[in-house]
Amino acid sequence: MTLPEAPELVANALVAASIVLAARNSIHVWWTGILGCAVFAWVFIDAKLYSDAILQVFFIAASIGGWWNWLHGDHGAPVPIRWTPTPRLATMVAAGIAFTA
């Protein structure tokens, strides 16, 4: 392994940990995802892939918003995990198909 590959491995490890923590409904999903995206942004900037770096900034902002909502979204209580209602899911699927077309 050469030194330039190390940040990519760290970013992938952090994002993989974030995915596992999301499956376990752990609050640690947020900081691991934010750090992973920050390292990826650094890798992308170094490779002059600026649009990919900007996408990572969006992921970081979305994670910060998700973390805040997790902590404060239900009148200060953690937001419960719940299923998306079928009509809303159908609307989102239809919108996705229409957008793709």
Side-chain angles (χ1 to χ4, degrees), residues 26-41:
S26 170
I27 189 106
H28 300 292
V29 66
W30 303 111
W31 69 265
T32 55
I34 290 168
L35 283 179
C37 289
V39 175
F40 267 130

Side-chain angles (χ1 to χ4, degrees), residues 25-98:
N25 197 23
S26 170
I27 189 106
H28 300 292
V29 66
W30 303 111
W31 69 265
T32 55
I34 290 168
L35 283 179
C37 289
V39 175
F40 267 130
W42 172 41
V43 168
F44 292 145
I45 289 170
D46 189 53
K48 297 180 177 37
L49 298 170
Y50 301 117
S51 60
D52 288 329
I54 291 169
L55 185 59
Q56 297 307 309
V57 172
F58 168 77
F59 292 148
I60 291 168
S63 291
I64 290 169
W67 195 353
W68 185 89
N69 189 45
W70 181 305
L71 293 174
H72 306 291
D74 192 17
H75 306 290
V79 177
I81 304 298
R82 59 188 181 270
W83 290 96
T84 302
T86 304
R88 181 180 294 168
L89 182 60
T91 301
M92 290 189 304
V93 169
I97 291 170

